Amino acid sequence: MEMVQRSKFKDPGFILAIVVLLYSAVVWIWWPHETYVAGVALTAWLMLVGIILWFTLAVVYVFWIEHVEKSVKEETERRGPHENN
């Protein structure tokens, strides 16, 4: 049985993990000391943005994986039963 090989660099989990790592790197490299926005420390705002980012990425990941699995299923069905074995 032949499996469709996909590049690991095109995997949604890999791409979204890179996004989170880049955001984390920006926050940790540029740690905002004694900076306040609307009376709240900028660090707290960045933590809030991080939580929203995590949630958004989780939703994107679910829809992205469903799309990938659907396209793989359609490709398998398109080949026909004799090519799948």
Side-chain angles (χ1 to χ4, degrees):
M1 184 150 103
E2 185 179 328
M3 296 287 293
V4 176
Q5 293 286 54
R6 291 182 48 98
S7 172
K8 292 180 182 179
F9 298 111
K10 291 183 179 179
D11 181 63
F14 182 79
I15 294 170
L16 298 178
I18 296 296
V19 170
V20 170
L21 287 173
L22 289 173
Y23 175 79
S24 299
V26 168
V27 171
W28 284 102
I29 291 169
W30 172 73
W31 190 257
H33 293 287
E34 302 298 322
T35 305
Y36 294 91
V37 176
V40 179
L42 187 55
T43 305
W45 286 112
L46 290 173
M47 290 170 60
L48 176 65
V49 168
I51 290 170
I52 294 169
L53 177 68
W54 274 101
F55 180 76
T56 304
L57 289 177
V59 171
V60 167
Y61 180 78
V62 168
F63 285 111
W64 196 347
I65 285 294
E66 286 179 356
H67 174 73
V68 168
E69 289 177 351
K70 181 180 176 185
S71 63
V72 168
K73 182 180 176 186
E74 288 173 354
E75 179 66 28
T76 304
E77 290 173 352
R78 196 175 310 134
R79 285 186 188 169
H82 63 283
E83 295 180 26
N84 291 333
N85 293 331

